[in-house]
Amino acid sequence: MVTDLVQIRLLGEKKRAENQRLRKHMKSHDHSDRILRRVAQGIEEQIDCTVCANCCRVATARVSERDAERLAKFLRIKPAVFLRDYTEESGCVFLDGNTCTVYEARPETCEKFPHVVRGNGSIASRMWQFVDRACYCPIVYNTLEAFKEELGFRR
């Protein structure tokens, strides 16, 4: 299990083409989403996101209208004020160290991140996201490596 963020970045970039081939392989072959979700769940259970929180530093979270309303209510401000004062293009303004200060009201995309176990559609349909995420998220990097083993993917 690789958890060092420098190694994740280097290995994720080094394996980018391989992970893109894995994506094509998964889209063109039948596989059990149930089994892949179980594999991914096993990886998620071994990694504590609060030790890392790298996604909050580097990923962009889409904030839906519903998310904005929920967060504004949580912060006791108007949605327009929330959108003006609390949304920006890089990093999360609600990250304090490795802790989310609005965890109970966080956007849905944050709640489901990294979208391997929880997400809309099949795992293969979400694979386009995982190639980039494997460069900054230990869960995604290790899950893709485990998928390769599970599927007998030739590297």
Side-chain angles (χ1 to χ4, degrees):
M1 183 79 57
V2 180
T3 57
D4 178 76
L5 294 177
V6 173
Q7 288 291 71
I8 295 291
R9 184 174 44 81
L10 294 173
L11 291 170
E13 288 297 340
K14 181 180 177 183
K15 295 182 179 192
R16 184 176 287 278
E18 179 180 303
N19 288 336
Q20 289 172 333
R21 287 193 312 275
L22 173 65
R23 177 181 180 260
K24 287 180 184 175
H25 173 83
M26 288 178 68
K27 289 186 77 69
S28 64
H29 292 80
D30 288 332
H31 58 275
S32 169
D33 239 39
R34 192 180 84 243
I35 291 171
L36 295 179
R37 284 180 202 274
R38 189 173 59 233
V39 168
Q41 183 69 43
I43 301 292
E44 274 194 21
E45 289 171 359
Q46 296 178 57
I47 296 176
D48 179 1
C49 290
T50 63
V51 171
C52 176
N54 203 33
C55 57
C56 302
R57 290 180 183 82
V58 300
T60 301
R62 290 198 175 138
V63 178
S64 70
E65 187 176 324
R66 188 173 166 187
D67 291 330
E69 289 170 3
R70 186 175 58 254
L71 282 157
K73 183 178 180 181
F74 182 82
L75 296 168
R76 297 186 176 122
I77 58 176
K78 294 181 185 218
V81 173
F82 168 79
L83 290 171
R84 184 191 69 215
D85 295 348
Y86 290 95
T87 56
E88 57 184 53
E89 285 295 317
S90 63
C92 181
V93 298
F94 297 113
L95 187 64
D96 182 15
N98 286 352
T99 304
C100 177
T101 60
V102 295
Y103 187 81
E104 299 82 18
R106 69 194 184 280
E108 182 180 8
T109 191
C110 299
E111 184 179 341
K112 291 182 177 178
F113 196 86
H115 303 273
V116 181
V117 176
R118 294 165 305 284
N120 298 327
S122 69
I123 289 176
S125 72
R126 297 190 309 272
M127 278 297 292
W128 65 272
Q129 303 166 329
F130 300 156
V131 174
D132 287 334
R133 290 179 185 165
C135 298
Y136 65 85
C137 176
I139 292 172
V140 175
Y141 176 82
N142 287 288
T143 296
L144 292 185
E145 294 304 302
F147 284 175
K148 292 169 191 174
E149 291 295 319
E150 180 68 34
L151 298 172
F153 177 74
R154 291 193 315 250
R155 297 164 196 236

